[in-house]
Amino acid sequence: MTDQEKLAAYESMRAEVESRYAALLTTLERLKAEGKTKTVTYREDLGWKQYYRAILQLYQKYGLSQT
């Protein structure tokens, strides 16, 4: 794999993580508005949100995020 291919793969991965994180925020807001904060789905999604947030924070720590 060339450096250019690695960069493209990284950028694709970062975009997917950012997309999944944003989708989870939307889902969690909807479930919370519906009063479903004690459901398995809500709790699983909350765990995934924390996981993706940690990955995004690592990107930021190493200067690899766009924000």
Side-chain angles (χ1 to χ4, degrees):
M1 184 178 266
T2 67
D3 287 343
Q4 196 66 20
E5 291 170 328
K6 287 179 185 178
L7 178 59
Y10 157 74
E11 288 175 345
S12 176
M13 180 185 72
R14 189 193 67 226
E16 183 173 338
V17 169
E18 289 172 346
S19 174
R20 287 184 183 196
Y21 183 75
L24 282 168
L25 290 177
T26 302
T27 301
L28 288 168
E29 286 176 20
R30 180 181 51 79
L31 289 170
K32 190 173 184 179
E34 294 172 1
K36 297 182 178 179
T37 58
K38 296 193 184 280
T39 64
V40 172
T41 302
Y42 182 86
R43 291 176 188 215
E44 285 178 347
D45 285 351
L46 191 59
W48 281 111
K49 176 190 163 211
Q50 292 169 338
Y51 172 76
Y52 288 125
R53 183 176 53 203
I55 292 172
L56 293 171
Q57 287 172 340
L58 279 173
Y59 290 155
Q60 195 170 35
K61 177 181 176 181
Y62 290 97
L64 298 172
S65 66
Q66 290 183 339
T67 55

